[in-house]
Amino acid sequence: MSILTVLTYPDSALRKKSKPIVKVNAKVEKLINDMIETMYSFRGCVGISAPQTGRLQRIIVVDVSKHKKAPPRNSGLIVIVNPVLIHREGRTISREGCLSLPDYIGNVRRVEKIKVKGKDRYGKRLEFFTTGFESIAIQHEIEHLNGVLFIDRISSLKTDLLMRKRMPGKGK
Ligand code: NI
């Protein structure tokens, strides 16, 4: 496994639409493992999408379990290939950050509860409901696959975009 370079805004790859994975083969598995390792290498990071590493493929990995905002019941490590939201319910606003926008955090509007479907890291179908912080992390990562960043979702750059006090550093 290796830690991948994370692209930062305004890299043009972050604005592109990623392509669906046709088959979860060894190459895709390697990318997934590298994405997992990359996510865990950043303190406080709860998710990463393939396009943030310059691979325009529809893959996300999420793990909110070690974050202070994590609910006691969460799924731990989640890998979703070709994720699709098939249900959205409720509304919420929460503080979000992104490895590709390391200097900022924002108050972002999202839906509260989602049902997501796709494939897991072995190519097996998956489908589940989730809410709260985990739901928000998944929504954030799926939007990367369509070239959308959290700054596109804040209502006011003046009041809802804030400078980050502590940079997301390497290590724990
Ligand atoms: Ni992000």
Side-chain angles (χ1 to χ4, degrees):
M1 294 210 284
S2 42
I3 294 174
L4 305 169
T5 302
V6 177
L7 305 178
T8 52
Y9 183 82
D11 193 294
S12 63
L14 295 171
R15 290 311 200 173
K16 297 207 170 101
K17 202 171 158 79
S18 292
K19 293 197 175 72
I21 300 292
V22 179
K23 196 172 191 295
V24 180
N25 56 24
K27 215 175 152 187
V28 171
E29 274 174 50
K30 164 132 187 19
L31 174 57
I32 289 169
N33 287 331
D34 289 347
M35 286 170 63
I36 292 167
E37 195 181 5
T38 305
M39 171 176 70
Y40 288 144
S41 76
F42 288 91
R43 181 184 56 225
C45 177
V46 294
I48 195 165
S49 63
Q52 288 178 280
T53 68
R55 281 76 168 174
L56 295 175
Q57 296 181 290
R58 302 189 81 81
I59 305 168
I60 65 168
V61 301
V62 165
D63 186 348
V64 301
S65 62
K66 288 167 194 75
H67 198 276
K68 58 181 188 299
K69 280 197 258 178
R73 281 175 57 197
N74 62 73
S75 312
L77 176 63
I78 303 168
V79 174
I80 317 176
V81 172
N82 300 338
V84 182
L85 292 183
I86 53 172
H87 180 80
R88 299 170 170 86
E89 202 179 314
R91 285 184 192 184
T92 181
I93 296 183
S94 72
R95 219 24 92 82
E96 289 185 27
C98 180
L99 290 181
S100 297
L101 288 149
D103 299 340
Y104 296 96
I105 44 173
N107 297 320
V108 186
R109 289 159 193 277
R110 299 279 179 199
V111 295
E112 168 68 21
K113 185 177 181 183
I114 57 169
K115 189 177 191 185
V116 61
K117 74 166 188 179
K119 287 185 173 168
D120 69 11
R121 60 196 298 189
Y122 310 105
K124 217 180 114 200
R125 272 193 213 180
L126 63 81
E127 192 173 304
F128 63 94
F129 277 105
T130 186
T131 59
F133 191 53
E134 190 173 82
S135 159
I136 287 162
I138 291 171
Q139 292 172 64
H140 175 117
E141 299 311 332
I142 289 178
E143 290 206 320
H144 274 298
L145 307 181
N146 297 321
V148 176
L149 302 171
F150 83 78
I151 46 170
D152 304 325
R153 282 206 164 266
I154 57 177
S155 38
S156 160
L157 285 174
K158 213 170 159 186
T159 59
D160 292 334
L161 190 66
L162 309 141
M163 289 295 285
R164 194 189 273 280
K165 288 194 192 85
R166 198 176 61 163
M167 298 294 163
K170 288 269 180 186
K172 305 288 163 199

